[in-house]
Amino acid sequence: MSSAPRRVPGDLLVHLRRARDHADRHYREPLDLDALAAVAGLSKYYFQRMFTTTYGVSPAAYLSRRRVERAQDLLRSTNLTVTEVCAAVGFTSLGSFSSRFREVVGETPSEFQRRWAATGAPHIPGCFVFMWGLAERRADCASAEKRAEAPGS
């Protein structure tokens, strides 16, 4: 039995990339298999199989890793608490966030933050981070409203 990855048809890749890009942009939001499969326009079971075959990880693992990557950015560069970072990146449980963070990074979020704080790097105040997030959401809403109001849509 060959261990080489299966070739995925190009037209299917368009659908998978659409869902992956959606997960990259909306990682803060509650996303599940049904939501990502809907973005891809595929049945959830087929989407799950093809995503895993193509990217080497399940959609849930991909989203979780993306959230941990963003959490690393926030823990390195802001003065937010671990709990605030957990919520800001879309995890709903501090315990699952800490466990997944440790699996991916090799240390707890608190250890990671302490290690980076010891370097003396400046931190962005958390209030700016939250204001920026609010501004991003407002811009997303405004662009969605413009698209809805555009003639022919």
Side-chain angles (χ1 to χ4, degrees):
M1 184 178 222
S2 156
S3 63
R6 289 185 356 191
R7 185 160 164 77
V8 178
D11 57 335
L12 178 58
L13 283 176
V14 171
H15 297 282
L16 296 175
R17 283 186 194 128
R18 184 180 308 132
R20 187 191 62 191
D21 292 347
H22 183 81
D24 287 341
R25 281 189 311 276
H26 300 280
Y27 64 88
R28 293 178 213 91
E29 300 169 12
L31 294 173
D32 59 11
L33 184 60
D34 289 322
L36 291 173
V39 169
L42 302 169
S43 79
K44 70 180 182 179
Y45 301 111
Y46 184 64
F47 171 72
Q48 169 86 23
R49 277 193 317 275
M50 292 296 95
F51 191 98
T52 302
T53 298
T54 303
Y55 298 113
V57 294
S58 69
Y62 180 85
L63 178 60
S64 177
R65 180 172 285 277
R66 177 67 181 103
R67 287 173 172 165
V68 167
E69 289 168 354
R70 183 60 180 133
Q72 285 178 283
D73 292 340
L74 292 173
L75 290 168
R76 256 192 308 264
S77 61
T78 70
N79 67 352
L80 297 174
T81 67
V82 171
T83 303
E84 289 169 328
V85 169
C86 169
V89 299
F91 278 93
T92 56
S93 160
L94 184 58
S96 62
F97 167 65
S98 295
S99 297
R100 183 66 176 141
F101 192 97
R102 186 178 187 113
E103 281 175 31
V104 172
V105 179
E107 60 188 334
T108 67
S110 297
E111 292 167 343
F112 181 88
Q113 188 176 45
R114 267 194 302 279
R115 184 167 55 81
W116 279 94
T119 66
H123 283 124
I124 301 166
C127 59
F128 287 128
V129 174
F130 289 123
M131 284 185 342
W132 181 258
L134 181 59
E136 283 178 352
R137 281 191 286 279
R138 285 184 181 155
D140 288 345
C141 290
S143 64
E145 288 173 5
K146 284 181 184 176
R147 282 192 307 270
E149 293 171 0
S153 46

